[in-house]
Amino acid sequence: MKFAQYDEVKLIKIINQKVMTKKGWGYRDPEVGDIATIIEIYSNPEVAYHLECNDENGATAWDLMVIPDDIELKTT
């Protein structure tokens, strides 16, 4: 599936848990069911997504970069 910058996506599967527990910004690790925004899409040397998930108060719950092999996303 192709995504665009600023798409809102739902995290539906974590394939590589090790990547998801590397602390980026925020106060917790990503969880299945989280809604995040694609801040940036990189293509070199491979496709990667910079994702940010905010809580109901607007605080950053988590913010990190992942490759498609590490996660499964769908648009909301």
Side-chain angles (χ1 to χ4, degrees), residues 38-49:
I38 298 176
I39 302 301
E40 189 67 67
I41 299 174
Y42 301 95
S43 59
N44 191 4
E46 64 184 325
V47 173
Y49 302 114

Side-chain angles (χ1 to χ4, degrees), residues 11-63:
L11 179 58
I12 56 173
K13 185 176 183 181
I14 297 173
I15 299 165
N16 185 350
Q17 187 66 41
K18 186 175 182 180
V19 171
M20 304 308 273
T21 57
K22 287 192 328 189
K23 294 288 185 194
W25 292 96
Y27 60 85
R28 69 171 175 84
D29 293 334
E31 299 172 356
V32 171
D34 284 347
I35 304 295
T37 301
I38 298 176
I39 302 301
E40 189 67 67
I41 299 174
Y42 301 95
S43 59
N44 191 4
E46 64 184 325
V47 173
Y49 302 114
H50 175 179
L51 302 174
E52 181 177 359
C53 175
N54 296 309
D55 66 17
E56 61 278 351
N57 297 316
T60 301
W62 55 266
D63 179 312

